[in-house]
Structures are given as C-alpha cells and as structure tokens.
Amino acid sequence: QVQLVESGGGLVQAGGSLRLSCAASVRSYAMGWFRQAPGKEREFVAGISRSGGGTYYADSVKGRFAISRDYGKNRVYLQMNSLKPEDTAVYYCAAGSSGSYSPHSVFDYWGQGTQVTVSS
C-alpha cells in the first residue's frame, strides 16, 4: 500500500519561505505537489520525474517554488520562497505510477495534506 505523509506547513508572512516534505513509501513513481484553497478546485503546483531530472511547474509558482527528491530518504520536497497570500491552501503530495508529471498526468496516490497560510 502506497503511503504519502506531508509535513512542513504552517503560518508565514508574505515574502517568507517554507519547505514542505513528503515521506513516501515508494521510490520509482513520478511525484507531484497540488494545492486546494477554500472554495477553489485543486490545482497542480509542481511535478518531478522518477529520476528527479525532470520538473514541471505551474506558471503561478515558477521562479518561486522548487521541487526536489531525495531517494536515500525516500522524500520529495517543495521549497516555497517569496510566498504570497494567494499561496494559502492545503498542499497535497501525490504519486503517479505512469511516470508522467505534468498537470494533466494521472496521480494514483495522495497524502492527507498540510495547511499553508500566508498572511499579508
């Protein structure tokens, strides 16, 4: 059974930084981060290939967020810099067996989410 556990969320002021972590029970999956703000649909934030050599970002976070993975620790990270109030959402880690990591990829497994709140 695939398990994904997110951590690292919290309250931060605009312009600040946070690093989210996802502990995964699988290794050879493409991974992604998504977010869902109150009253809005869940949206793709970033994805990373199985090898870690390929990444994909939503336009809204390009240049501010960075996704990475550590195979030794079986973790995926989302470094979030220059945070804005509109980044406030529950952030979810996801794993995809297809290997694809774009916004239109199918992600089979999901974590429970971690809350990120950015104050103005």
Side-chain angles (χ1 to χ4, degrees):
Q1 183 178 357
V2 176
Q3 291 187 323
L4 303 172
V5 180
E6 303 94 337
S7 61
L11 173 64
V12 64
Q13 287 188 331
S17 298
L18 281 175
R19 188 176 79 155
L20 305 183
S21 177
C22 174
S25 64
V26 292
R27 291 178 182 270
S28 58
Y29 280 58
M31 301 295 292
W33 285 97
F34 290 74
R35 66 186 181 187
Q36 187 167 20
K40 295 187 177 181
E41 293 187 354
R42 185 171 60 195
E43 64 174 354
F44 175 89
V45 175
I48 190 165
S49 66
R50 287 171 170 155
S51 68
T55 57
Y56 197 113
Y57 295 95
D59 288 343
S60 58
V61 306
K62 275 181 185 175
R64 300 188 298 122
F65 290 12
I67 187 171
S68 61
R69 66 191 305 167
D70 184 333
Y71 268 101
K73 296 182 179 180
N74 234 12
R75 285 182 179 264
V76 177
Y77 302 99
L78 185 68
Q79 177 67 44
M80 306 186 295
N81 300 323
S82 302
L83 283 161
K84 305 175 182 180
E86 51 263 44
D87 294 319
T88 295
V90 177
Y91 283 71
Y92 298 91
C93 175
S97 59
S98 72
S100 182
Y101 52 96
S102 71
H104 304 293
S105 301
V106 174
F107 288 86
D108 309 284
Y109 304 99
W110 297 81
Q112 293 300 307
T114 185
Q115 176 71 46
V116 171
T117 303
V118 184
S119 63
S120 56

